[in-house]
Amino acid sequence: LLVSAVALTPLGAWAADKTVGFSQIGSESGWRAAETTVTKEQATERGINLKFADAQQKQENQIKALRGFIAQGVDAILLAPVVATGWDSVLEEAQDAEIPVILLDRKVDAPDDLYMTAVTSDTVYEGEVAGKWLVDTVAGKDCSVVELQGTTGSSPAIDRKAGFEKAIADASNIKIVRSQTGDFTRAQGKVVMESFLKAEGAENICALYAHNDDMAVGAIQAIKEAGAEPGKDILVVAIDAVPDMHLAIAKGEANATVELTPNMAGPAFDILDAFWADGTLPEKWVQTESKLFTAEDDNQAIYDMKKGLGY
Ligand code: GZL
C-alpha cells in the first residue's frame, strides 16, 4: 500500500499543507525584494503555509525568528543568512527539533550536518566574471578600481571580492585603490562612492566594481553629481542584473552586470518535497547559474521584461 501511495502521489504534492518558516534578511536591494516575492509565489503554488520573517538585516532578528519557528514546530526552515558566522547554536536547536534547514542565496561557516543544503549561486565565480570583463575591457590600459563591498562578513561579499581579485591578479595594470562596504544598499553605495570620489578625484578613477547593482545605481548618482560620466569616464560593473541596472546599461551609464536568479526557493521546495516523499537527501550545495550581461545585450528589452517580476 505504501509503495503504491508513494508512486501515485505526484512530486509536489508532499509539500502541500506543510508549514515552512522563512527568515529573510530584509529588503536591502531589488534582488532581495524579488527573492521574497518569488518565494511567496512558489509557496502559494505548492500549497505551502509560509511563515515570513523580515530581519531588517540584523542577525539577532534572524536567530529570534528561527527560535520562533522551532517553538511553533514548523515542518522546515528557509534561512537567507545575513552573515556567515554565529549560526551554530540555533542550527543545533533546529537539528535537535528535527526540523530541516535549507540556506538560501548565502552560505554559513558551520558544520554542514547542521543544514540540509544551501541553494546559492557561485558567488566566487560572479566576482571572477566581473573581474575578467574588466581585464578584457581595459586591455592593458592602467586602471584604478574602486570597490563597493557587500555586507561585511556575508558570504557573497567575501566571495565576490575573492573572485574579482583572482581575475585581476595577473593584470598588473589594474589596481583596487579603494574598497569599502556599502552594505548592499543604494543609499550607502552613493555615500561611499562620494567619499571615493573626494579622496581620489573622479579623473583618477577608471572603474567601479560593486558587489551588487543597488550599490552601483547609488554610485552612478554620485558620479554624475561629481560631474563625471558613469559608463564612460568611470566604467561600472556589478552583479544581480536587476531591472534598473539593465536600464543604466541601456542608457550607457553602466557597462556590465552578472545575473543570478532570485528563485532559490523553487529548488528548495522541490528538495523538501522529495525529502517528505521518501527521505531523499540533496547534495550539500545546489548551485544556480550566473550569467554576464553587457551593452551588447538588448538591455532595454530585458528591463521591460523584468520590470515588475517582483523587483
Ligand atoms: C547574493 C545575495 C545578495 C545580492 C544582493 O546571493 O545574497 O544579497 O547580490 C543582496 O543584492 O543584498
PDB file of all heavy atoms in Angstrom, residues 78-112:
ATOM      1  N   LEU A  78      13.549  27.898   5.952  1.00  0.00           N
ATOM      2  CA  LEU A  78      14.421  28.507   4.937  1.00  0.00           C
ATOM      3  C   LEU A  78      15.130  29.671   5.621  1.00  0.00           C
ATOM      4  O   LEU A  78      14.487  30.463   6.318  1.00  0.00           O
ATOM      5  CB  LEU A  78      13.602  29.042   3.749  1.00  0.00           C
ATOM      6  CG  LEU A  78      12.708  28.054   2.986  1.00  0.00           C
ATOM      7  CD1 LEU A  78      12.036  28.787   1.812  1.00  0.00           C
ATOM      8  CD2 LEU A  78      13.494  26.853   2.511  1.00  0.00           C
ATOM      9  N   LEU A  79      16.463  29.757   5.416  1.00  0.00           N
ATOM     10  CA  LEU A  79      17.244  30.833   6.038  1.00  0.00           C
ATOM     11  C   LEU A  79      18.157  31.467   4.998  1.00  0.00           C
ATOM     12  O   LEU A  79      18.968  30.774   4.377  1.00  0.00           O
ATOM     13  CB  LEU A  79      18.098  30.264   7.191  1.00  0.00           C
ATOM     14  CG  LEU A  79      19.184  31.191   7.777  1.00  0.00           C
ATOM     15  CD1 LEU A  79      18.540  32.404   8.460  1.00  0.00           C
ATOM     16  CD2 LEU A  79      20.068  30.422   8.750  1.00  0.00           C
ATOM     17  N   ALA A  80      18.001  32.787   4.803  1.00  0.00           N
ATOM     18  CA  ALA A  80      18.970  33.547   3.993  1.00  0.00           C
ATOM     19  C   ALA A  80      19.877  34.240   5.006  1.00  0.00           C
ATOM     20  O   ALA A  80      19.498  35.263   5.563  1.00  0.00           O
ATOM     21  CB  ALA A  80      18.255  34.576   3.120  1.00  0.00           C
ATOM     22  N   PRO A  81      21.042  33.696   5.310  1.00  0.00           N
ATOM     23  CA  PRO A  81      21.853  34.181   6.436  1.00  0.00           C
ATOM     24  C   PRO A  81      22.600  35.470   6.114  1.00  0.00           C
ATOM     25  O   PRO A  81      23.432  35.502   5.218  1.00  0.00           O
ATOM     26  CB  PRO A  81      22.834  33.018   6.677  1.00  0.00           C
ATOM     27  CG  PRO A  81      22.957  32.336   5.349  1.00  0.00           C
ATOM     28  CD  PRO A  81      21.654  32.525   4.645  1.00  0.00           C
ATOM     29  N   VAL A  82      22.289  36.534   6.896  1.00  0.00           N
ATOM     30  CA  VAL A  82      22.840  37.863   6.587  1.00  0.00           C
ATOM     31  C   VAL A  82      24.366  37.856   6.643  1.00  0.00           C
ATOM     32  O   VAL A  82      25.021  38.498   5.809  1.00  0.00           O
ATOM     33  CB  VAL A  82      22.241  38.947   7.536  1.00  0.00           C
ATOM     34  CG1 VAL A  82      22.536  38.626   8.995  1.00  0.00           C
ATOM     35  CG2 VAL A  82      22.732  40.328   7.164  1.00  0.00           C
ATOM     36  N   VAL A  83      24.922  37.115   7.594  1.00  0.00           N
ATOM     37  CA  VAL A  83      26.388  36.952   7.686  1.00  0.00           C
ATOM     38  C   VAL A  83      26.707  35.460   7.792  1.00  0.00           C
ATOM     39  O   VAL A  83      25.803  34.638   8.009  1.00  0.00           O
ATOM     40  CB  VAL A  83      26.976  37.710   8.898  1.00  0.00           C
ATOM     41  CG1 VAL A  83      26.874  39.214   8.699  1.00  0.00           C
ATOM     42  CG2 VAL A  83      26.314  37.272  10.193  1.00  0.00           C
ATOM     43  N   ALA A  84      28.004  35.119   7.645  1.00  0.00           N
ATOM     44  CA  ALA A  84      28.355  33.691   7.536  1.00  0.00           C
ATOM     45  C   ALA A  84      28.570  33.036   8.901  1.00  0.00           C
ATOM     46  O   ALA A  84      28.450  31.814   9.020  1.00  0.00           O
ATOM     47  CB  ALA A  84      29.613  33.552   6.684  1.00  0.00           C
ATOM     48  N   THR A  85      28.849  33.828   9.951  1.00  0.00           N
ATOM     49  CA  THR A  85      29.188  33.205  11.251  1.00  0.00           C
ATOM     50  C   THR A  85      28.066  33.420  12.272  1.00  0.00           C
ATOM     51  O   THR A  85      27.150  34.215  12.051  1.00  0.00           O
ATOM     52  CB  THR A  85      30.481  33.851  11.814  1.00  0.00           C
ATOM     53  OG1 THR A  85      30.262  35.270  11.880  1.00  0.00           O
ATOM     54  CG2 THR A  85      31.663  33.555  10.920  1.00  0.00           C
ATOM     55  N   GLY A  86      28.141  32.667  13.378  1.00  0.00           N
ATOM     56  CA  GLY A  86      27.231  32.874  14.524  1.00  0.00           C
ATOM     57  C   GLY A  86      25.958  32.062  14.488  1.00  0.00           C
ATOM     58  O   GLY A  86      24.999  32.375  15.190  1.00  0.00           O
ATOM     59  N   TRP A  87      25.923  31.004  13.663  1.00  0.00           N
ATOM     60  CA  TRP A  87      24.668  30.243  13.484  1.00  0.00           C
ATOM     61  C   TRP A  87      24.670  28.896  14.205  1.00  0.00           C
ATOM     62  O   TRP A  87      23.610  28.247  14.302  1.00  0.00           O
ATOM     63  CB  TRP A  87      24.404  30.008  11.997  1.00  0.00           C
ATOM     64  CG  TRP A  87      24.281  31.277  11.228  1.00  0.00           C
ATOM     65  CD1 TRP A  87      25.238  31.876  10.447  1.00  0.00           C
ATOM     66  CD2 TRP A  87      23.141  32.150  11.191  1.00  0.00           C
ATOM     67  NE1 TRP A  87      24.758  33.048   9.925  1.00  0.00           N
ATOM     68  CE2 TRP A  87      23.481  33.245  10.369  1.00  0.00           C
ATOM     69  CE3 TRP A  87      21.867  32.108  11.777  1.00  0.00           C
ATOM     70  CZ2 TRP A  87      22.590  34.294  10.117  1.00  0.00           C
ATOM     71  CZ3 TRP A  87      20.988  33.133  11.528  1.00  0.00           C
ATOM     72  CH2 TRP A  87      21.334  34.229  10.701  1.00  0.00           C
ATOM     73  N   ASP A  88      25.807  28.420  14.663  1.00  0.00           N
ATOM     74  CA  ASP A  88      25.893  27.029  15.137  1.00  0.00           C
ATOM     75  C   ASP A  88      24.820  26.681  16.168  1.00  0.00           C
ATOM     76  O   ASP A  88      24.115  25.682  16.000  1.00  0.00           O
ATOM     77  CB  ASP A  88      27.279  26.749  15.737  1.00  0.00           C
ATOM     78  CG  ASP A  88      28.365  26.792  14.651  1.00  0.00           C
ATOM     79  OD1 ASP A  88      28.257  27.649  13.761  1.00  0.00           O
ATOM     80  OD2 ASP A  88      29.268  25.956  14.678  1.00  0.00           O
ATOM     81  N   SER A  89      24.661  27.502  17.211  1.00  0.00           N
ATOM     82  CA  SER A  89      23.765  27.056  18.295  1.00  0.00           C
ATOM     83  C   SER A  89      22.309  27.017  17.833  1.00  0.00           C
ATOM     84  O   SER A  89      21.615  26.019  18.097  1.00  0.00           O
ATOM     85  CB  SER A  89      23.919  27.931  19.539  1.00  0.00           C
ATOM     86  OG  SER A  89      23.748  29.281  19.169  1.00  0.00           O
ATOM     87  N   VAL A  90      21.855  27.992  17.094  1.00  0.00           N
ATOM     88  CA  VAL A  90      20.432  27.967  16.688  1.00  0.00           C
ATOM     89  C   VAL A  90      20.207  26.846  15.667  1.00  0.00           C
ATOM     90  O   VAL A  90      19.141  26.213  15.656  1.00  0.00           O
ATOM     91  CB  VAL A  90      19.956  29.337  16.161  1.00  0.00           C
ATOM     92  CG1 VAL A  90      20.510  29.653  14.775  1.00  0.00           C
ATOM     93  CG2 VAL A  90      18.425  29.416  16.155  1.00  0.00           C
ATOM     94  N   LEU A  91      21.215  26.564  14.838  1.00  0.00           N
ATOM     95  CA  LEU A  91      21.063  25.448  13.890  1.00  0.00           C
ATOM     96  C   LEU A  91      21.050  24.110  14.641  1.00  0.00           C
ATOM     97  O   LEU A  91      20.322  23.184  14.267  1.00  0.00           O
ATOM     98  CB  LEU A  91      22.170  25.478  12.836  1.00  0.00           C
ATOM     99  CG  LEU A  91      22.105  26.634  11.832  1.00  0.00           C
ATOM    100  CD1 LEU A  91      23.321  26.601  10.901  1.00  0.00           C
ATOM    101  CD2 LEU A  91      20.813  26.602  11.026  1.00  0.00           C
ATOM    102  N   GLU A  92      21.801  24.037  15.743  1.00  0.00           N
ATOM    103  CA  GLU A  92      21.761  22.811  16.566  1.00  0.00           C
ATOM    104  C   GLU A  92      20.376  22.644  17.188  1.00  0.00           C
ATOM    105  O   GLU A  92      19.832  21.545  17.261  1.00  0.00           O
ATOM    106  CB  GLU A  92      22.843  22.860  17.660  1.00  0.00           C
ATOM    107  CG  GLU A  92      24.218  22.446  17.160  1.00  0.00           C
ATOM    108  CD  GLU A  92      25.358  22.954  18.061  1.00  0.00           C
ATOM    109  OE1 GLU A  92      25.049  23.409  19.184  1.00  0.00           O
ATOM    110  OE2 GLU A  92      26.523  22.915  17.602  1.00  0.00           O
ATOM    111  N   GLU A  93      19.770  23.762  17.589  1.00  0.00           N
ATOM    112  CA  GLU A  93      18.419  23.688  18.178  1.00  0.00           C
ATOM    113  C   GLU A  93      17.420  23.178  17.144  1.00  0.00           C
ATOM    114  O   GLU A  93      16.557  22.350  17.435  1.00  0.00           O
ATOM    115  CB  GLU A  93      17.985  25.069  18.702  1.00  0.00           C
ATOM    116  CG  GLU A  93      18.773  25.533  19.927  1.00  0.00           C
ATOM    117  CD  GLU A  93      18.610  27.023  20.197  1.00  0.00           C
ATOM    118  OE1 GLU A  93      17.526  27.556  19.921  1.00  0.00           O
ATOM    119  OE2 GLU A  93      19.582  27.661  20.657  1.00  0.00           O
ATOM    120  N   ALA A  94      17.569  23.629  15.902  1.00  0.00           N
ATOM    121  CA  ALA A  94      16.665  23.141  14.835  1.00  0.00           C
ATOM    122  C   ALA A  94      16.904  21.661  14.588  1.00  0.00           C
ATOM    123  O   ALA A  94      15.966  20.878  14.418  1.00  0.00           O
ATOM    124  CB  ALA A  94      16.907  23.942  13.556  1.00  0.00           C
ATOM    125  N   GLN A  95      18.185  21.278  14.605  1.00  0.00           N
ATOM    126  CA  GLN A  95      18.529  19.856  14.396  1.00  0.00           C
ATOM    127  C   GLN A  95      17.938  18.997  15.518  1.00  0.00           C
ATOM    128  O   GLN A  95      17.347  17.954  15.258  1.00  0.00           O
ATOM    129  CB  GLN A  95      20.055  19.697  14.378  1.00  0.00           C
ATOM    130  CG  GLN A  95      20.526  18.306  13.974  1.00  0.00           C
ATOM    131  CD  GLN A  95      22.042  18.245  13.912  1.00  0.00           C
ATOM    132  OE1 GLN A  95      22.720  18.488  14.926  1.00  0.00           O
ATOM    133  NE2 GLN A  95      22.569  17.969  12.731  1.00  0.00           N
ATOM    134  N   ASP A  96      18.066  19.479  16.759  1.00  0.00           N
ATOM    135  CA  ASP A  96      17.504  18.734  17.905  1.00  0.00           C
ATOM    136  C   ASP A  96      15.987  18.585  17.755  1.00  0.00           C
ATOM    137  O   ASP A  96      15.402  17.578  18.150  1.00  0.00           O
ATOM    138  CB  ASP A  96      17.811  19.442  19.235  1.00  0.00           C
ATOM    139  CG  ASP A  96      19.318  19.447  19.540  1.00  0.00           C
ATOM    140  OD1 ASP A  96      20.042  18.664  18.864  1.00  0.00           O
ATOM    141  OD2 ASP A  96      19.759  20.250  20.383  1.00  0.00           O
ATOM    142  N   ALA A  97      15.357  19.608  17.149  1.00  0.00           N
ATOM    143  CA  ALA A  97      13.894  19.559  16.954  1.00  0.00           C
ATOM    144  C   ALA A  97      13.537  18.805  15.672  1.00  0.00           C
ATOM    145  O   ALA A  97      12.370  18.724  15.286  1.00  0.00           O
ATOM    146  CB  ALA A  97      13.341  20.974  16.888  1.00  0.00           C
ATOM    147  N   GLU A  98      14.577  18.269  15.012  1.00  0.00           N
ATOM    148  CA  GLU A  98      14.404  17.513  13.749  1.00  0.00           C
ATOM    149  C   GLU A  98      13.654  18.326  12.692  1.00  0.00           C
ATOM    150  O   GLU A  98      12.788  17.813  11.970  1.00  0.00           O
ATOM    151  CB  GLU A  98      13.676  16.174  14.023  1.00  0.00           C
ATOM    152  CG  GLU A  98      14.538  15.243  14.873  1.00  0.00           C
ATOM    153  CD  GLU A  98      13.868  13.897  15.189  1.00  0.00           C
ATOM    154  OE1 GLU A  98      12.793  13.624  14.629  1.00  0.00           O
ATOM    155  OE2 GLU A  98      14.439  13.146  15.996  1.00  0.00           O
ATOM    156  N   ILE A  99      14.003  19.610  12.627  1.00  0.00           N
ATOM    157  CA  ILE A  99      13.438  20.496  11.588  1.00  0.00           C
ATOM    158  C   ILE A  99      14.524  20.776  10.549  1.00  0.00           C
ATOM    159  O   ILE A  99      15.554  21.386  10.879  1.00  0.00           O
ATOM    160  CB  ILE A  99      12.960  21.826  12.208  1.00  0.00           C
ATOM    161  CG1 ILE A  99      11.836  21.563  13.216  1.00  0.00           C
ATOM    162  CG2 ILE A  99      12.482  22.783  11.107  1.00  0.00           C
ATOM    163  CD1 ILE A  99      11.406  22.798  13.992  1.00  0.00           C
ATOM    164  N   PRO A 100      14.329  20.321   9.297  1.00  0.00           N
ATOM    165  CA  PRO A 100      15.354  20.567   8.279  1.00  0.00           C
ATOM    166  C   PRO A 100      15.491  22.046   7.961  1.00  0.00           C
ATOM    167  O   PRO A 100      14.495  22.771   7.908  1.00  0.00           O
ATOM    168  CB  PRO A 100      14.857  19.782   7.064  1.00  0.00           C
ATOM    169  CG  PRO A 100      13.418  19.505   7.305  1.00  0.00           C
ATOM    170  CD  PRO A 100      13.198  19.540   8.772  1.00  0.00           C
ATOM    171  N   VAL A 101      16.734  22.496   7.773  1.00  0.00           N
ATOM    172  CA  VAL A 101      17.028  23.898   7.422  1.00  0.00           C
ATOM    173  C   VAL A 101      17.679  23.934   6.047  1.00  0.00           C
ATOM    174  O   VAL A 101      18.636  23.183   5.798  1.00  0.00           O
ATOM    175  CB  VAL A 101      17.984  24.544   8.446  1.00  0.00           C
ATOM    176  CG1 VAL A 101      18.373  25.964   8.013  1.00  0.00           C
ATOM    177  CG2 VAL A 101      17.348  24.556   9.836  1.00  0.00           C
ATOM    178  N   ILE A 102      17.150  24.767   5.169  1.00  0.00           N
ATOM    179  CA  ILE A 102      17.785  24.985   3.859  1.00  0.00           C
ATOM    180  C   ILE A 102      18.236  26.439   3.791  1.00  0.00           C
ATOM    181  O   ILE A 102      17.456  27.357   4.071  1.00  0.00           O
ATOM    182  CB  ILE A 102      16.822  24.666   2.699  1.00  0.00           C
ATOM    183  CG1 ILE A 102      16.474  23.169   2.693  1.00  0.00           C
ATOM    184  CG2 ILE A 102      17.458  25.077   1.364  1.00  0.00           C
ATOM    185  CD1 ILE A 102      15.615  22.716   1.530  1.00  0.00           C
ATOM    186  N   LEU A 103      19.523  26.657   3.432  1.00  0.00           N
ATOM    187  CA  LEU A 103      20.071  28.011   3.287  1.00  0.00           C
ATOM    188  C   LEU A 103      19.733  28.525   1.892  1.00  0.00           C
ATOM    189  O   LEU A 103      19.857  27.789   0.909  1.00  0.00           O
ATOM    190  CB  LEU A 103      21.590  27.988   3.473  1.00  0.00           C
ATOM    191  CG  LEU A 103      22.105  27.377   4.786  1.00  0.00           C
ATOM    192  CD1 LEU A 103      23.632  27.417   4.815  1.00  0.00           C
ATOM    193  CD2 LEU A 103      21.526  28.087   5.994  1.00  0.00           C
ATOM    194  N   LEU A 104      19.315  29.775   1.802  1.00  0.00           N
ATOM    195  CA  LEU A 104      19.035  30.393   0.500  1.00  0.00           C
ATOM    196  C   LEU A 104      20.033  31.518   0.239  1.00  0.00           C
ATOM    197  O   LEU A 104      20.266  32.349   1.115  1.00  0.00           O
ATOM    198  CB  LEU A 104      17.614  30.992   0.467  1.00  0.00           C
ATOM    199  CG  LEU A 104      16.406  30.070   0.626  1.00  0.00           C
ATOM    200  CD1 LEU A 104      15.132  30.849   0.281  1.00  0.00           C
ATOM    201  CD2 LEU A 104      16.520  28.834  -0.234  1.00  0.00           C
ATOM    202  N   ASP A 105      20.627  31.525  -0.924  1.00  0.00           N
ATOM    203  CA  ASP A 105      21.442  32.564  -1.537  1.00  0.00           C
ATOM    204  C   ASP A 105      22.714  32.997  -0.826  1.00  0.00           C
ATOM    205  O   ASP A 105      23.518  33.723  -1.397  1.00  0.00           O
ATOM    206  CB  ASP A 105      20.585  33.775  -1.956  1.00  0.00           C
ATOM    207  CG  ASP A 105      20.260  34.747  -0.816  1.00  0.00           C
ATOM    208  OD1 ASP A 105      21.135  35.565  -0.468  1.00  0.00           O
ATOM    209  OD2 ASP A 105      19.153  34.672  -0.287  1.00  0.00           O
ATOM    210  N   ARG A 106      22.918  32.555   0.385  1.00  0.00           N
ATOM    211  CA  ARG A 106      24.174  32.823   1.083  1.00  0.00           C
ATOM    212  C   ARG A 106      24.552  31.569   1.881  1.00  0.00           C
ATOM    213  O   ARG A 106      23.706  30.735   2.179  1.00  0.00           O
ATOM    214  CB  ARG A 106      24.052  34.011   2.046  1.00  0.00           C
ATOM    215  CG  ARG A 106      23.809  35.332   1.325  1.00  0.00           C
ATOM    216  CD  ARG A 106      23.887  36.529   2.267  1.00  0.00           C
ATOM    217  NE  ARG A 106      23.508  37.764   1.568  1.00  0.00           N
ATOM    218  CZ  ARG A 106      23.468  38.977   2.138  1.00  0.00           C
ATOM    219  NH1 ARG A 106      23.775  39.113   3.422  1.00  0.00           N
ATOM    220  NH2 ARG A 106      23.121  40.042   1.444  1.00  0.00           N
ATOM    221  N   LYS A 107      25.826  31.488   2.253  1.00  0.00           N
ATOM    222  CA  LYS A 107      26.317  30.305   2.981  1.00  0.00           C
ATOM    223  C   LYS A 107      26.693  30.677   4.411  1.00  0.00           C
ATOM    224  O   LYS A 107      26.736  31.864   4.770  1.00  0.00           O
ATOM    225  CB  LYS A 107      27.523  29.711   2.245  1.00  0.00           C
ATOM    226  CG  LYS A 107      27.141  29.130   0.873  1.00  0.00           C
ATOM    227  CD  LYS A 107      28.284  28.376   0.235  1.00  0.00           C
ATOM    228  CE  LYS A 107      27.810  27.635  -1.005  1.00  0.00           C
ATOM    229  NZ  LYS A 107      28.918  26.884  -1.648  1.00  0.00           N
ATOM    230  N   VAL A 108      26.918  29.637   5.252  1.00  0.00           N
ATOM    231  CA  VAL A 108      27.324  29.866   6.629  1.00  0.00           C
ATOM    232  C   VAL A 108      28.610  29.093   6.910  1.00  0.00           C
ATOM    233  O   VAL A 108      28.872  28.051   6.283  1.00  0.00           O
ATOM    234  CB  VAL A 108      26.227  29.442   7.639  1.00  0.00           C
ATOM    235  CG1 VAL A 108      24.950  30.238   7.429  1.00  0.00           C
ATOM    236  CG2 VAL A 108      25.958  27.941   7.566  1.00  0.00           C
ATOM    237  N   ASP A 109      29.423  29.604   7.856  1.00  0.00           N
ATOM    238  CA  ASP A 109      30.616  28.879   8.317  1.00  0.00           C
ATOM    239  C   ASP A 109      30.172  27.994   9.477  1.00  0.00           C
ATOM    240  O   ASP A 109      30.404  28.322  10.637  1.00  0.00           O
ATOM    241  CB  ASP A 109      31.682  29.860   8.828  1.00  0.00           C
ATOM    242  CG  ASP A 109      32.201  30.754   7.722  1.00  0.00           C
ATOM    243  OD1 ASP A 109      31.960  30.410   6.540  1.00  0.00           O
ATOM    244  OD2 ASP A 109      32.801  31.800   8.041  1.00  0.00           O
ATOM    245  N   ALA A 110      29.485  26.917   9.174  1.00  0.00           N
ATOM    246  CA  ALA A 110      29.036  25.998  10.233  1.00  0.00           C
ATOM    247  C   ALA A 110      29.157  24.582   9.683  1.00  0.00           C
ATOM    248  O   ALA A 110      29.155  24.383   8.467  1.00  0.00           O
ATOM    249  CB  ALA A 110      27.571  26.283  10.594  1.00  0.00           C
ATOM    250  N   PRO A 111      29.277  23.571  10.586  1.00  0.00           N
ATOM    251  CA  PRO A 111      29.372  22.197  10.083  1.00  0.00           C
ATOM    252  C   PRO A 111      28.185  21.881   9.177  1.00  0.00           C
ATOM    253  O   PRO A 111      27.038  22.233   9.515  1.00  0.00           O
ATOM    254  CB  PRO A 111      29.317  21.361  11.374  1.00  0.00           C
ATOM    255  CG  PRO A 111      29.732  22.290  12.458  1.00  0.00           C
ATOM    256  CD  PRO A 111      29.290  23.656  12.048  1.00  0.00           C
ATOM    257  N   ASP A 112      28.439  21.245   8.030  1.00  0.00           N
ATOM    258  CA  ASP A 112      27.337  21.122   7.053  1.00  0.00           C
ATOM    259  C   ASP A 112      26.300  20.068   7.447  1.00  0.00           C
ATOM    260  O   ASP A 112      25.285  19.922   6.784  1.00  0.00           O
ATOM    261  CB  ASP A 112      27.867  20.908   5.630  1.00  0.00           C
ATOM    262  CG  ASP A 112      28.518  19.548   5.449  1.00  0.00           C
ATOM    263  OD1 ASP A 112      28.411  18.691   6.355  1.00  0.00           O
ATOM    264  OD2 ASP A 112      29.136  19.348   4.380  1.00  0.00           O
TER     265      ASP A 112
END
